[in-house]
Amino acid sequence: MHTILITGAGTGLGKELALSYAKKGYSIIVTGRRLEPLEAVKEEVQSVGAKAFAYQMDISNAEDVKKIVGRITSEHEVDYLLNNAGVGCFGPLTELDSDEIETAIQTNVLGTIFLTKELLPHLLKREDAKIMNIISTAGQKGKVNESVYVASKFAVRGFTESLQKELEGKVHVIATYMGGMDTPFWDETDHIKDKSRLKSPREVAEMIIAQDDKLEIQI
Ligand SMILES: NC(=O)c1ccc[n+]([C@@H]2O[C@H](COP(=O)([O-])OP(=O)(O)OC[C@H]3O[C@@H](n4cnc5c(N)ncnc54)[C@H](OP(=O)(O)O)[C@@H]3O)[C@@H](O)[C@H]2O)c1
């Protein structure tokens, strides 16, 4: 039985990935900053017959990541890290405040790096270890009013491609690119007018899982 740790698993794509991997037979560790949605997803995962565990962890805080990864690895053997947590940052550059910019870079870039670095020694002891980084088409081309978000996702792309080379033959590292999805990601912004026209995160999760033997997934 393999165990997957998914970040940002209380909502949106992370939640659907948790449910889909549970149906595929994985034990699921859901993480995020808010415990309430994580507990709800944990119960949903358990209701499909899989093991599930919830841990509160802010990936943007290196100390928190170290502490919680220590707890998780003392209680579980983790085979697969799915870096899904991320935040948006949209609008003309001159209108973005520095707090928003810092949060986007701190979460999307540093959060992904902190957690991967902390869990990697543990993953390297497992056979068939995997890391998947949820990037976005924003990691492939520049977009109007998305400069900081795009910068953060280009950074995650560079991180992912480098680890693919650095860990070749030891850990299967997957870069996943997708367009818009109808998730809470868009709740605090009017950057997208009608999110209901976007793909459902369930559909995207199923497409991802069907292709996770690849190094690059394009949806
Ligand atoms: N929605 C789209 O159109 C779209 C398109 C392409 C790529 N993506 C990417 O897909 C991923 C998932 O996004 P989503 O659309 O599913 O949005 P979402 O529902 O807002 O999910 C993001 C999750 O990240 C968690 N999170 C945020 N900051 C965190 C932190 N510092 N530490 C730990 N967890 C944190 C949030 O939970 P808490 O607030 O409880 O921490 C939330 O559950 C993101 O990486 C996003 O960039 C989204």
Side-chain angles (χ1 to χ4, degrees):
M1 176 76 74
H2 285 86
T3 299
I4 182 168
L5 187 163
I6 306 176
T7 64
T11 61
L13 180 64
K15 171 184 170 177
E16 297 303 334
L17 286 164
L19 290 165
S20 300
Y21 272 111
K23 288 177 193 150
K24 221 182 150 184
Y26 278 81
S27 295
I28 312 291
I29 298 173
V30 292
T31 70
R33 289 170 303 178
R34 289 165 299 147
L35 200 52
E36 208 181 312
L38 294 176
E39 289 292 344
V41 174
K42 181 177 108 177
E43 280 179 26
E44 239 184 288
V45 167
Q46 287 169 339
S47 75
V48 304
K51 286 189 182 156
F53 309 88
Y55 292 85
Q56 220 168 355
M57 173 168 65
D58 180 349
I59 57 164
S60 69
N61 179 326
E63 283 310 306
D64 201 34
V65 168
K66 206 179 169 81
K67 187 176 83 192
I68 303 302
V69 167
R71 264 184 58 202
I72 291 173
T73 53
S74 70
E75 293 165 14
H76 307 274
E77 305 280 13
V78 182
D79 307 280
Y80 188 170
L81 167 62
L82 208 161
N83 284 308
N84 162 77
V87 294
C89 184
F90 302 114
L93 183 59
T94 50
E95 289 175 22
L96 299 177
D97 66 43
S98 42
D99 283 354
E100 244 182 310
I101 296 171
E102 269 178 28
T103 301
I105 302 296
Q106 191 81 20
T107 308
N108 301 357
V109 184
L110 294 180
T112 301
I113 295 173
F114 289 154
L115 178 56
T116 306
K117 176 187 176 292
E118 211 52 51
L119 196 63
L120 188 56
H122 177 90
L123 289 172
L124 284 167
K125 292 185 199 144
R126 309 292 298 158
E127 273 181 31
D128 305 326
K130 268 189 194 183
I131 297 172
M132 181 186 290
N133 292 338
I134 298 299
I135 309 178
S136 163
T137 52
Q140 296 177 307
K141 57 180 192 299
K143 304 184 192 203
V144 175
N145 292 339
E146 299 196 16
S147 58
V148 171
Y149 181 64
V150 164
S152 76
K153 292 295 187 175
F154 265 66
V156 180
R157 177 185 181 171
F159 178 63
T160 310
E161 288 184 5
S162 300
L163 287 187
Q164 284 174 337
K165 297 179 197 297
E166 191 171 319
L167 302 175
E168 192 178 355
K170 296 177 187 155
V171 180
H172 182 76
V173 181
I174 310 153
T176 299
Y177 303 97
M178 73 283 285
M181 296 177 285
D182 181 3
T183 71
F185 185 81
W186 301 110
D187 287 354
E188 308 296 322
T189 171
D190 59 5
H191 186 59
I192 287 229
K193 300 283 174 279
D194 179 12
K195 69 172 188 161
S196 69
R197 291 183 313 156
L198 303 175
K199 281 200 172 72
S200 82
R202 178 160 304 175
E203 181 187 355
V204 174
E206 280 163 11
M207 291 164 89
I208 289 173
I209 287 175
Q211 303 179 65
D212 71 359
D213 54 336
K214 295 183 177 171
L215 286 173
E216 185 179 310
I217 299 176
Q218 184 75 55
I219 289 162

